Amino acid sequence: VGTLSGVYDAFRLLYSRIAQQEGENFTAQHFSFNHHVGACPTCEGLGVKLTCNPEEVILTRDKSIFDGALATNKALAYYADINGQFMATLQEVAKQKKWDIDRPWEELEEKEKNGILYGTGDLIWEVNWEFKTKSRTGTQAIKAKWLGLCNYIDEEFQRKRHNKNIKHIEALIHEVECSTCGGSRLKRELLNIKFLGKHIHALSSMSIASCLALIEQFDEKLNPVVLAISKVILPGVIQSLQTMVNLGLGYLNLDRVVRSLSGGERQRVTLAGQLSSHLFGVTYVLDEPTIGLDARQVAVLSKALKRIVSNGNTVVVVEHDASFIRTADYLIEMGPGAGSLGGQVIYQGKISDIASAKNSVTYKLLHEPRPAANKQTRKKGKPFSVKGACANNLKHIDVSFYAGQITAIKGVSGSGKSSLIKDVLYRSWLKNRPVNCTSVNGLEQFDEVLLIDQELMNQNRLSTPAVYTGIIEQLKILFSKTEYAKKAGLKKADFTYQSKNGKCPSCAGHGKLKTSMDFMSDIWLSCDRCKGMRYSDPILACKYNGRSIGEVLRMTVQDTIDFFDTGFVVENLELLNRMGIGHLLLGQSGPTLSGGEAQRLKLAKSMMQKSKGTRLYLFDEPSTGLHYFDILQLITVFESIIEDGHTILFIEHNNTLIETADRVVTLGPSSGEDGGRVVE
């Protein structure tokens, strides 16, 4: 966050000037963890070391390591093979040290646990290994060290870390603080330079709000030379920090890694940097910047954008939030529908004149009474709860929920909503034990817990809505049963654009060809041979009602429904339509989908799959990318999920969606250090 907003660059300049005043020859480059002159040599400026996580190795503590305590992980299985040389060595270690390691893990002494995980150093053990393979058995005398399960995983990770397919190893790895630099990322000598009693890492580890409060009072505590330096550098820093606080980001630490931010947070951090840059004549384009913001924060964002405009810039925003739209100077409404039904300008002009636009959904949104969403009264089912939730900003809170209901979780950005749902509830389900909390109760009543978030689908051009949802399998059946297919000897498998016979030989099923540009990014151009339809000529020659499967994949969901009219394909397509994604092309490449579209596609896929029992659905802002009238459709889908006996928890700021909930949990009272509590 510090580097993205430009604040850390100012800190580097500040500390380098203080260092030079104190007689140290440190430049601003020395205080950069991205440059070799300043980066810690051990972690290369990362501040962390990647190492095996013992919590991922030992999963079932009431069992022994020979009888179910160890994770069923491909990488670990090699070292934990009961007939392998490694476990034979461990058993010899236990025998000589008189360790009883056949007991459940939780009953072992600490020295025994430590020995199993981290080994016995350089000691050489003489082992008679009784090996057993599929073809033979025997005994072999070996001499070996016992390095410990975690150390073996670390060694394998270092050997294979640059390989492509190492997810099984990565699942056992976590980040731990670098012991050399203490997580500062910098060489130790650079931490001797202090400002207001803090070295640069301590200052940049503070939250934005706390850092602002500290440096606003700098003139009271400094010697004259440092004071003069500060008066030149800090006013811009204070402005940047204040802007981020105003944008509702005061809870973020300046050293927070950008990849851990939500899309909305990242957008606002970048925006704060621009607000402090005093540029003019720039056009800023923002895509739904109100995501993750409550009504008060939306108002602050609007004022911040007005400031950008007043500096001589232009701001273009894609947005659905009614309160934000009302603050715009000029409105362009696209429509009338989505996908192939859109692409026209319905209205452009002042907000005040929108009544002149016939069939404007924005006019209805802003001026007409909104139809009330269906509000069902549902009885409480069995309770489920978390106690002592402490992930990120959460303050060891206890929260209860009820099955068979819709629960909304709301609160300002940074109050801990995502932490509660994703890092506590969902991770505890995945690990089958409390994670980031003291206890979890009642989750056993669910056969499945599904996280429906906005993470994009596989960023592969071969991944499409048709493939992701399984609709492609139904299309393959239809086309393989045509008379043409039977006569040509085409099988069901041939109608896959990833199969040998099915894919276009020129583009390998991508529908496009990548062209390398010497001085620019690669570009993808439509394949001349298949005309973007992905398939080989023999497959495209096969028609169903006059259309090839390649042509069907270029249809929208809505167009495909009209094309097939009835049948088993239409039922699943109708579900996609009800999700508000009827505008998507069946063969649309995964990387072109928005986060909101990906989320609704995941929900549709889960609903297409027959449930083995009751499900708990966890949603992260399901209203993202939806117009008010699309949200009403989504509510109908949610109602059907509840009617089928399932349970829904969602994080949301949209009042229309929140009003449909049986129960609302509000986190706060504010964000970051002052958030993370249940206030309602």
Side-chain angles (χ1 to χ4, degrees), residues 43-71:
C43 65
E44 297 178 332
L46 293 175
V48 294
K49 180 183 177 184
L50 297 174
T51 188
C52 179
N53 183 0
E55 295 291 322
E56 299 295 343
V57 173
I58 308 296
L59 292 187
T60 312
R61 296 171 179 273
D62 60 353
K63 295 183 179 180
S64 78
I65 60 170
F66 303 113
D67 187 31
L70 298 176

PDB file of all heavy atoms in Angstrom, residues 43-71:
ATOM      1  N   CYS A  43      16.257 -12.850   2.713  1.00  0.00           N
ATOM      2  CA  CYS A  43      14.925 -13.015   2.104  1.00  0.00           C
ATOM      3  C   CYS A  43      14.779 -12.243   0.805  1.00  0.00           C
ATOM      4  O   CYS A  43      13.709 -12.234   0.200  1.00  0.00           O
ATOM      5  CB  CYS A  43      13.836 -12.593   3.083  1.00  0.00           C
ATOM      6  SG  CYS A  43      13.859 -10.826   3.498  1.00  0.00           S
ATOM      7  N   GLU A  44      15.836 -11.557   0.375  1.00  0.00           N
ATOM      8  CA  GLU A  44      15.858 -10.781  -0.857  1.00  0.00           C
ATOM      9  C   GLU A  44      14.743  -9.726  -0.892  1.00  0.00           C
ATOM     10  O   GLU A  44      14.119  -9.481  -1.921  1.00  0.00           O
ATOM     11  CB  GLU A  44      15.747 -11.710  -2.077  1.00  0.00           C
ATOM     12  CG  GLU A  44      16.922 -12.679  -2.192  1.00  0.00           C
ATOM     13  CD  GLU A  44      16.791 -13.619  -3.370  1.00  0.00           C
ATOM     14  OE1 GLU A  44      15.649 -13.910  -3.773  1.00  0.00           O
ATOM     15  OE2 GLU A  44      17.821 -14.068  -3.890  1.00  0.00           O
ATOM     16  N   GLY A  45      14.498  -9.135   0.269  1.00  0.00           N
ATOM     17  CA  GLY A  45      13.549  -8.039   0.334  1.00  0.00           C
ATOM     18  C   GLY A  45      12.101  -8.439   0.493  1.00  0.00           C
ATOM     19  O   GLY A  45      11.217  -7.584   0.474  1.00  0.00           O
ATOM     20  N   LEU A  46      11.835  -9.733   0.675  1.00  0.00           N
ATOM     21  CA  LEU A  46      10.449 -10.180   0.838  1.00  0.00           C
ATOM     22  C   LEU A  46       9.955 -10.038   2.279  1.00  0.00           C
ATOM     23  O   LEU A  46       8.759  -9.915   2.531  1.00  0.00           O
ATOM     24  CB  LEU A  46      10.291 -11.634   0.392  1.00  0.00           C
ATOM     25  CG  LEU A  46      10.490 -11.914  -1.098  1.00  0.00           C
ATOM     26  CD1 LEU A  46      10.423 -13.412  -1.361  1.00  0.00           C
ATOM     27  CD2 LEU A  46       9.442 -11.188  -1.921  1.00  0.00           C
ATOM     28  N   GLY A  47      10.882 -10.100   3.237  1.00  0.00           N
ATOM     29  CA  GLY A  47      10.507  -9.997   4.639  1.00  0.00           C
ATOM     30  C   GLY A  47      10.010 -11.292   5.233  1.00  0.00           C
ATOM     31  O   GLY A  47       9.774 -11.392   6.435  1.00  0.00           O
ATOM     32  N   VAL A  48       9.805 -12.296   4.389  1.00  0.00           N
ATOM     33  CA  VAL A  48       9.310 -13.592   4.859  1.00  0.00           C
ATOM     34  C   VAL A  48      10.096 -14.721   4.208  1.00  0.00           C
ATOM     35  O   VAL A  48      10.735 -14.541   3.167  1.00  0.00           O
ATOM     36  CB  VAL A  48       7.809 -13.779   4.531  1.00  0.00           C
ATOM     37  CG1 VAL A  48       6.956 -12.788   5.296  1.00  0.00           C
ATOM     38  CG2 VAL A  48       7.555 -13.665   3.029  1.00  0.00           C
ATOM     39  N   LYS A  49      10.018 -15.862   4.846  1.00  0.00           N
ATOM     40  CA  LYS A  49      10.613 -17.073   4.297  1.00  0.00           C
ATOM     41  C   LYS A  49       9.486 -18.075   4.084  1.00  0.00           C
ATOM     42  O   LYS A  49       8.593 -18.217   4.919  1.00  0.00           O
ATOM     43  CB  LYS A  49      11.648 -17.651   5.272  1.00  0.00           C
ATOM     44  CG  LYS A  49      12.321 -18.917   4.782  1.00  0.00           C
ATOM     45  CD  LYS A  49      13.269 -19.461   5.844  1.00  0.00           C
ATOM     46  CE  LYS A  49      13.888 -20.782   5.378  1.00  0.00           C
ATOM     47  NZ  LYS A  49      14.748 -21.376   6.434  1.00  0.00           N
ATOM     48  N   LEU A  50       9.503 -18.764   2.952  1.00  0.00           N
ATOM     49  CA  LEU A  50       8.503 -19.786   2.665  1.00  0.00           C
ATOM     50  C   LEU A  50       8.978 -21.112   3.236  1.00  0.00           C
ATOM     51  O   LEU A  50      10.054 -21.604   2.882  1.00  0.00           O
ATOM     52  CB  LEU A  50       8.282 -19.903   1.153  1.00  0.00           C
ATOM     53  CG  LEU A  50       7.715 -18.655   0.472  1.00  0.00           C
ATOM     54  CD1 LEU A  50       7.689 -18.842  -1.041  1.00  0.00           C
ATOM     55  CD2 LEU A  50       6.320 -18.364   0.973  1.00  0.00           C
ATOM     56  N   THR A  51       8.191 -21.669   4.133  1.00  0.00           N
ATOM     57  CA  THR A  51       8.605 -22.896   4.804  1.00  0.00           C
ATOM     58  C   THR A  51       7.397 -23.771   5.102  1.00  0.00           C
ATOM     59  O   THR A  51       6.247 -23.318   5.035  1.00  0.00           O
ATOM     60  CB  THR A  51       9.361 -22.562   6.105  1.00  0.00           C
ATOM     61  OG1 THR A  51       9.920 -23.742   6.660  1.00  0.00           O
ATOM     62  CG2 THR A  51       8.441 -21.901   7.124  1.00  0.00           C
ATOM     63  N   CYS A  52       7.636 -25.014   5.435  1.00  0.00           N
ATOM     64  CA  CYS A  52       6.556 -25.967   5.691  1.00  0.00           C
ATOM     65  C   CYS A  52       5.752 -25.555   6.925  1.00  0.00           C
ATOM     66  O   CYS A  52       6.314 -25.185   7.962  1.00  0.00           O
ATOM     67  CB  CYS A  52       7.138 -27.367   5.883  1.00  0.00           C
ATOM     68  SG  CYS A  52       5.897 -28.631   6.234  1.00  0.00           S
ATOM     69  N   ASN A  53       4.458 -25.629   6.801  1.00  0.00           N
ATOM     70  CA  ASN A  53       3.554 -25.295   7.905  1.00  0.00           C
ATOM     71  C   ASN A  53       3.182 -26.566   8.656  1.00  0.00           C
ATOM     72  O   ASN A  53       2.459 -27.414   8.125  1.00  0.00           O
ATOM     73  CB  ASN A  53       2.289 -24.627   7.346  1.00  0.00           C
ATOM     74  CG  ASN A  53       1.331 -24.190   8.423  1.00  0.00           C
ATOM     75  OD1 ASN A  53       1.589 -24.373   9.610  1.00  0.00           O
ATOM     76  ND2 ASN A  53       0.216 -23.620   8.023  1.00  0.00           N
ATOM     77  N   PRO A  54       3.643 -26.736   9.895  1.00  0.00           N
ATOM     78  CA  PRO A  54       3.328 -27.967  10.640  1.00  0.00           C
ATOM     79  C   PRO A  54       1.832 -28.178  10.826  1.00  0.00           C
ATOM     80  O   PRO A  54       1.375 -29.317  10.956  1.00  0.00           O
ATOM     81  CB  PRO A  54       4.046 -27.761  11.985  1.00  0.00           C
ATOM     82  CG  PRO A  54       4.293 -26.295  12.085  1.00  0.00           C
ATOM     83  CD  PRO A  54       4.466 -25.810  10.688  1.00  0.00           C
ATOM     84  N   GLU A  55       1.048 -27.078  10.822  1.00  0.00           N
ATOM     85  CA  GLU A  55      -0.406 -27.198  10.971  1.00  0.00           C
ATOM     86  C   GLU A  55      -1.035 -27.897   9.774  1.00  0.00           C
ATOM     87  O   GLU A  55      -2.131 -28.464   9.885  1.00  0.00           O
ATOM     88  CB  GLU A  55      -1.034 -25.805  11.130  1.00  0.00           C
ATOM     89  CG  GLU A  55      -0.624 -25.064  12.384  1.00  0.00           C
ATOM     90  CD  GLU A  55      -1.197 -25.721  13.632  1.00  0.00           C
ATOM     91  OE1 GLU A  55      -2.346 -26.188  13.571  1.00  0.00           O
ATOM     92  OE2 GLU A  55      -0.487 -25.778  14.651  1.00  0.00           O
ATOM     93  N   GLU A  56      -0.345 -27.841   8.612  1.00  0.00           N
ATOM     94  CA  GLU A  56      -0.853 -28.509   7.417  1.00  0.00           C
ATOM     95  C   GLU A  56      -0.334 -29.945   7.322  1.00  0.00           C
ATOM     96  O   GLU A  56      -0.844 -30.732   6.523  1.00  0.00           O
ATOM     97  CB  GLU A  56      -0.446 -27.740   6.152  1.00  0.00           C
ATOM     98  CG  GLU A  56      -0.979 -26.323   6.083  1.00  0.00           C
ATOM     99  CD  GLU A  56      -2.488 -26.267   5.990  1.00  0.00           C
ATOM    100  OE1 GLU A  56      -3.104 -27.299   5.652  1.00  0.00           O
ATOM    101  OE2 GLU A  56      -3.052 -25.200   6.268  1.00  0.00           O
ATOM    102  N   VAL A  57       0.665 -30.281   8.111  1.00  0.00           N
ATOM    103  CA  VAL A  57       1.206 -31.643   8.132  1.00  0.00           C
ATOM    104  C   VAL A  57       0.405 -32.514   9.090  1.00  0.00           C
ATOM    105  O   VAL A  57       0.003 -33.632   8.763  1.00  0.00           O
ATOM    106  CB  VAL A  57       2.694 -31.622   8.539  1.00  0.00           C
ATOM    107  CG1 VAL A  57       3.219 -33.050   8.742  1.00  0.00           C
ATOM    108  CG2 VAL A  57       3.517 -30.916   7.472  1.00  0.00           C
ATOM    109  N   ILE A  58       0.162 -32.003  10.290  1.00  0.00           N
ATOM    110  CA  ILE A  58      -0.602 -32.733  11.305  1.00  0.00           C
ATOM    111  C   ILE A  58      -2.024 -32.183  11.310  1.00  0.00           C
ATOM    112  O   ILE A  58      -2.273 -31.079  11.778  1.00  0.00           O
ATOM    113  CB  ILE A  58       0.025 -32.575  12.709  1.00  0.00           C
ATOM    114  CG1 ILE A  58       1.512 -32.918  12.692  1.00  0.00           C
ATOM    115  CG2 ILE A  58      -0.741 -33.421  13.719  1.00  0.00           C
ATOM    116  CD1 ILE A  58       1.822 -34.367  12.342  1.00  0.00           C
ATOM    117  N   LEU A  59      -2.970 -32.967  10.793  1.00  0.00           N
ATOM    118  CA  LEU A  59      -4.345 -32.488  10.687  1.00  0.00           C
ATOM    119  C   LEU A  59      -5.284 -33.093  11.731  1.00  0.00           C
ATOM    120  O   LEU A  59      -6.197 -32.440  12.202  1.00  0.00           O
ATOM    121  CB  LEU A  59      -4.898 -32.781   9.293  1.00  0.00           C
ATOM    122  CG  LEU A  59      -4.274 -32.007   8.133  1.00  0.00           C
ATOM    123  CD1 LEU A  59      -5.040 -32.281   6.851  1.00  0.00           C
ATOM    124  CD2 LEU A  59      -4.254 -30.504   8.405  1.00  0.00           C
ATOM    125  N   THR A  60      -5.058 -34.362  12.099  1.00  0.00           N
ATOM    126  CA  THR A  60      -5.948 -35.045  13.035  1.00  0.00           C
ATOM    127  C   THR A  60      -5.170 -35.396  14.288  1.00  0.00           C
ATOM    128  O   THR A  60      -4.454 -36.402  14.325  1.00  0.00           O
ATOM    129  CB  THR A  60      -6.556 -36.315  12.396  1.00  0.00           C
ATOM    130  OG1 THR A  60      -7.052 -35.992  11.094  1.00  0.00           O
ATOM    131  CG2 THR A  60      -7.679 -36.870  13.244  1.00  0.00           C
ATOM    132  N   ARG A  61      -5.306 -34.567  15.315  1.00  0.00           N
ATOM    133  CA  ARG A  61      -4.446 -34.661  16.491  1.00  0.00           C
ATOM    134  C   ARG A  61      -4.809 -35.796  17.442  1.00  0.00           C
ATOM    135  O   ARG A  61      -4.029 -36.141  18.324  1.00  0.00           O
ATOM    136  CB  ARG A  61      -4.453 -33.326  17.239  1.00  0.00           C
ATOM    137  CG  ARG A  61      -3.854 -32.211  16.406  1.00  0.00           C
ATOM    138  CD  ARG A  61      -4.030 -30.834  16.996  1.00  0.00           C
ATOM    139  NE  ARG A  61      -3.400 -29.850  16.130  1.00  0.00           N
ATOM    140  CZ  ARG A  61      -2.116 -29.509  16.209  1.00  0.00           C
ATOM    141  NH1 ARG A  61      -1.349 -30.035  17.137  1.00  0.00           N
ATOM    142  NH2 ARG A  61      -1.608 -28.632  15.379  1.00  0.00           N
ATOM    143  N   ASP A  62      -5.998 -36.365  17.282  1.00  0.00           N
ATOM    144  CA  ASP A  62      -6.373 -37.466  18.173  1.00  0.00           C
ATOM    145  C   ASP A  62      -6.009 -38.827  17.599  1.00  0.00           C
ATOM    146  O   ASP A  62      -6.455 -39.866  18.089  1.00  0.00           O
ATOM    147  CB  ASP A  62      -7.867 -37.403  18.502  1.00  0.00           C
ATOM    148  CG  ASP A  62      -8.743 -37.491  17.261  1.00  0.00           C
ATOM    149  OD1 ASP A  62      -8.186 -37.457  16.141  1.00  0.00           O
ATOM    150  OD2 ASP A  62      -9.977 -37.579  17.410  1.00  0.00           O
ATOM    151  N   LYS A  63      -5.187 -38.809  16.530  1.00  0.00           N
ATOM    152  CA  LYS A  63      -4.695 -40.058  15.943  1.00  0.00           C
ATOM    153  C   LYS A  63      -3.173 -40.037  15.885  1.00  0.00           C
ATOM    154  O   LYS A  63      -2.551 -38.980  15.969  1.00  0.00           O
ATOM    155  CB  LYS A  63      -5.271 -40.248  14.539  1.00  0.00           C
ATOM    156  CG  LYS A  63      -6.783 -40.440  14.534  1.00  0.00           C
ATOM    157  CD  LYS A  63      -7.295 -40.701  13.122  1.00  0.00           C
ATOM    158  CE  LYS A  63      -8.805 -40.926  13.139  1.00  0.00           C
ATOM    159  NZ  LYS A  63      -9.330 -41.188  11.777  1.00  0.00           N
ATOM    160  N   SER A  64      -2.581 -41.209  15.710  1.00  0.00           N
ATOM    161  CA  SER A  64      -1.117 -41.285  15.627  1.00  0.00           C
ATOM    162  C   SER A  64      -0.656 -40.983  14.210  1.00  0.00           C
ATOM    163  O   SER A  64      -1.455 -41.000  13.272  1.00  0.00           O
ATOM    164  CB  SER A  64      -0.638 -42.682  16.033  1.00  0.00           C
ATOM    165  OG  SER A  64      -0.829 -43.598  14.970  1.00  0.00           O
ATOM    166  N   ILE A  65       0.625 -40.723  14.063  1.00  0.00           N
ATOM    167  CA  ILE A  65       1.161 -40.411  12.732  1.00  0.00           C
ATOM    168  C   ILE A  65       1.115 -41.618  11.804  1.00  0.00           C
ATOM    169  O   ILE A  65       1.255 -41.474  10.589  1.00  0.00           O
ATOM    170  CB  ILE A  65       2.605 -39.869  12.808  1.00  0.00           C
ATOM    171  CG1 ILE A  65       3.537 -40.901  13.451  1.00  0.00           C
ATOM    172  CG2 ILE A  65       2.653 -38.546  13.543  1.00  0.00           C
ATOM    173  CD1 ILE A  65       4.998 -40.537  13.351  1.00  0.00           C
ATOM    174  N   PHE A  66       0.915 -42.811  12.375  1.00  0.00           N
ATOM    175  CA  PHE A  66       0.817 -44.019  11.548  1.00  0.00           C
ATOM    176  C   PHE A  66      -0.638 -44.371  11.254  1.00  0.00           C
ATOM    177  O   PHE A  66      -0.920 -45.308  10.521  1.00  0.00           O
ATOM    178  CB  PHE A  66       1.482 -45.203  12.252  1.00  0.00           C
ATOM    179  CG  PHE A  66       2.920 -44.962  12.609  1.00  0.00           C
ATOM    180  CD1 PHE A  66       3.312 -44.862  13.940  1.00  0.00           C
ATOM    181  CD2 PHE A  66       3.882 -44.797  11.623  1.00  0.00           C
ATOM    182  CE1 PHE A  66       4.639 -44.631  14.270  1.00  0.00           C
ATOM    183  CE2 PHE A  66       5.210 -44.556  11.951  1.00  0.00           C
ATOM    184  CZ  PHE A  66       5.590 -44.469  13.280  1.00  0.00           C
ATOM    185  N   ASP A  67      -1.564 -43.633  11.863  1.00  0.00           N
ATOM    186  CA  ASP A  67      -2.962 -44.023  11.761  1.00  0.00           C
ATOM    187  C   ASP A  67      -3.883 -42.824  11.587  1.00  0.00           C
ATOM    188  O   ASP A  67      -4.861 -42.674  12.297  1.00  0.00           O
ATOM    189  CB  ASP A  67      -3.366 -44.810  13.017  1.00  0.00           C
ATOM    190  CG  ASP A  67      -4.769 -45.403  12.898  1.00  0.00           C
ATOM    191  OD1 ASP A  67      -5.178 -45.739  11.764  1.00  0.00           O
ATOM    192  OD2 ASP A  67      -5.454 -45.506  13.931  1.00  0.00           O
ATOM    193  N   GLY A  68      -3.519 -41.893  10.644  1.00  0.00           N
ATOM    194  CA  GLY A  68      -4.457 -40.853  10.273  1.00  0.00           C
ATOM    195  C   GLY A  68      -4.163 -39.441  10.718  1.00  0.00           C
ATOM    196  O   GLY A  68      -4.899 -38.519  10.378  1.00  0.00           O
ATOM    197  N   ALA A  69      -3.094 -39.219  11.500  1.00  0.00           N
ATOM    198  CA  ALA A  69      -2.798 -37.849  11.948  1.00  0.00           C
ATOM    199  C   ALA A  69      -2.257 -36.989  10.817  1.00  0.00           C
ATOM    200  O   ALA A  69      -2.477 -35.776  10.794  1.00  0.00           O
ATOM    201  CB  ALA A  69      -1.796 -37.870  13.105  1.00  0.00           C
ATOM    202  N   LEU A  70      -1.539 -37.597   9.876  1.00  0.00           N
ATOM    203  CA  LEU A  70      -0.870 -36.839   8.824  1.00  0.00           C
ATOM    204  C   LEU A  70      -1.813 -36.507   7.668  1.00  0.00           C
ATOM    205  O   LEU A  70      -2.723 -37.268   7.354  1.00  0.00           O
ATOM    206  CB  LEU A  70       0.324 -37.636   8.289  1.00  0.00           C
ATOM    207  CG  LEU A  70       1.431 -37.942   9.295  1.00  0.00           C
ATOM    208  CD1 LEU A  70       2.503 -38.813   8.653  1.00  0.00           C
ATOM    209  CD2 LEU A  70       2.054 -36.668   9.827  1.00  0.00           C
ATOM    210  N   ALA A  71      -1.568 -35.364   7.055  1.00  0.00           N
ATOM    211  CA  ALA A  71      -2.365 -34.936   5.904  1.00  0.00           C
ATOM    212  C   ALA A  71      -2.190 -35.914   4.748  1.00  0.00           C
ATOM    213  O   ALA A  71      -1.100 -36.461   4.532  1.00  0.00           O
ATOM    214  CB  ALA A  71      -1.934 -33.536   5.468  1.00  0.00           C
TER     215      ALA A  71
END
